[in-house]
Structure formats: structure tokens, C-alpha cells
Amino acid sequence: MTDAGKGREGMTRYALYFAPDSDNAWWHAGNQWLGRDADAARDLPQPPLDGIQPDVQHQLTQDARRYGFHATLKAPFHLAPGYTEAALHLALEEFCQQLAPVTGLAPGVQWMGNFLALRPTKNQTAINELAFACVQQFDRFRAPMSTADLARRQQHPLNARQQALLMQWGYPYTQEEFRFHMTLTDRLEQGPLADHFHAAAQAYFDLDTPLDINSIALFTEPQPGADFQLSARFPFGR
């Protein structure tokens, strides 16, 4: 960890995510659930949920909405000195041309600690391998963590292995600690409200539509605290 990131507060952060195709029912359902389309950069009306007031629903999806409907492959990072967004685009194009789709995710709503997420029920080994390939291949583009970066990541308790991964890759939940997921809520306290959210999400995302990973989406955060935007999709070439 260094203080090399000081003075970067106004700089864009980049993230490598999976986001369903723009014409896929999972993309539309996820956007509607969160109340925002990160590709079109517009807010959407959220679906009414039984037993949950609209203002409570909006509040308890606030942070997830800012990031957009996605699954993290490589967590947000600032560009390292000497690298440009154009170079990142070129590297993503070349990398994705070598990849074959990961098919048949069959996602279901599950608890991830104290928040709800869509998790795959199939092909998790292939997904994990893809995610770590992204982490490794694009780590040269990642600027060293600043003191603020490190403090933010350490707000939640990390075990020794997660701390080591944080120091190596700038993110504690990679390699064997990685869990592919598409976040649906912010943190929920266990109780009737959380149970209502769980039941509502299970019913809402009961989609009879295939979901495949056939591209990587580049998301950007133009300034700290801004909404993440889907900047470009890079389709797989095999």
C-alpha cells in the first residue's frame, strides 16, 4: 500500500463487470428491481413489492442502485500511471476475443451475509476461473491503493487470507474467496422486512430465460460517489 493515489479524488474509477445483454430479460428485470438502467443512465420505476413500502424499498436498494445491476469480475480501480482508457479498451477487446461463453448460469436468489443477491447454481468453476483471469490480466492497469482505499476496504472485518488478497490484488474477495453474485439489496436486518424482501425477490426473478456470460462490461464511476455507468461491452470471440 502506498499514498500514490493522493490527489486522484476527481479521477474516474473503472470496473470489469458481468452485465446481461441489453435485450436479455435478466437485464431488464435487474434494472427494474434496482430502479436504474446503468446503460441508458436513467432512473426507472421499481416494481411494487408485497409488504414493503415503496420508500423503504427505494432506500434499501440505494447503494446497489448506484453500482448498477452487475456481477463483479474485477473490482473498481483507478488507472495506474502511464495507462489510458483507450489502452484498457484495446486490452479488453484482445482478451475477450480469446474467451468462450459460460452458459446456463440458472441464477437464484440467495443470502450473501446480510444482503440478497442472485447467485449461479451451475458452472461455478468456469465462472471463478474467468473472474480470476480478469483479476490477473488487468492488474497492471490498477493504480496502487491509497491510504483511503485501504481504509475503505478494511471497514468490514477481513480474515488473514482476505487481508493478503487485498494487499496483492486490491480486493479481498478473489481467488478462493470469490463468490459470483449480482447484488439486489443493501444490508438488511434479519426479521419480517428481510423475509418479505427475500420472498419478493424469489418471485420476481423466477424467469424462464437463459443467462450466459458472453461479454465483459466496462463500468465507470466518473467521480467519487457518482452513479456507475456501463461504458462498453466487449463480446467473447470463441
Side-chain angles (χ1 to χ4, degrees):
M1 188 273 297
T2 76
D3 286 330
K6 287 184 176 179
R8 296 184 315 202
E9 290 81 359
M11 293 179 62
T12 300
R13 283 199 303 166
Y14 299 84
L16 305 187
Y17 289 161
F18 165 67
D21 290 340
S22 60
D23 60 353
N24 187 277
W26 288 97
W27 176 246
H28 295 291
N31 289 343
Q32 201 80 40
W33 174 272
L34 294 180
R36 190 172 76 87
D37 184 329
D39 190 7
R42 63 187 178 95
D43 293 336
L44 301 171
Q46 292 181 282
L49 304 180
D50 289 341
I52 303 173
Q53 293 296 321
D55 58 335
V56 174
Q57 176 186 358
H58 193 264
Q59 178 184 358
L60 292 177
T61 52
Q62 182 175 354
D63 199 44
R65 180 166 48 256
R66 185 174 84 83
Y67 282 85
F69 187 58
H70 77 281
T72 298
L73 299 174
K74 186 169 182 62
F77 57 92
H78 291 98
L79 285 178
Y83 286 93
T84 64
E85 184 173 327
L88 179 59
H89 275 242
L90 180 59
L92 278 163
E93 289 174 359
E94 294 174 348
F95 177 71
C96 289
Q97 280 299 308
Q98 308 305 313
L99 299 178
V102 180
T103 60
L105 271 63
V109 176
Q110 298 180 23
W111 285 103
M112 289 280 293
N114 54 7
F115 66 92
L116 289 171
L118 286 168
R119 294 268 291 122
T121 58
K122 298 179 181 178
N123 290 343
Q124 294 190 44
T125 297
I127 293 170
N128 294 348
E129 289 174 352
L130 169 63
F132 190 51
C134 288
V135 169
Q136 291 179 299
Q137 181 71 21
F138 293 95
D139 205 56
R140 68 187 188 275
F141 286 91
R142 178 178 63 85
M145 283 187 297
S146 68
T147 301
D149 293 333
L150 184 62
R152 179 171 51 83
R153 287 295 183 194
Q154 292 177 325
Q155 287 177 347
H156 305 294
L158 302 176
N159 62 36
R161 177 56 175 157
Q162 291 165 350
Q163 180 68 24
L165 291 170
L166 173 63
M167 302 308 294
Q168 182 174 8
W169 303 112
Y171 189 59
Y173 307 113
T174 188
Q175 290 185 251
E176 74 279 5
E177 295 289 333
F178 176 75
R179 302 291 184 272
F180 182 97
H181 64 280
M182 308 184 80
T183 302
L184 300 178
T185 69
D186 299 351
R187 296 178 182 277
L188 299 172
E189 296 293 335
Q190 293 302 311
L193 180 59
D195 294 340
H196 279 304
F197 259 108
H198 190 195
Q202 286 181 314
Y204 182 79
F205 286 101
D206 184 20
L207 303 181
D208 186 21
T209 302
L211 182 60
D212 304 330
I213 302 176
N214 53 19
S215 66
I216 291 174
L218 178 65
F219 276 55
T220 59
E221 181 195 41
Q223 59 188 15
D227 290 343
F228 277 76
Q229 306 293 337
L230 199 164
S231 174
R233 283 188 174 91
F234 297 87
F236 294 172
R238 290 173 52 194

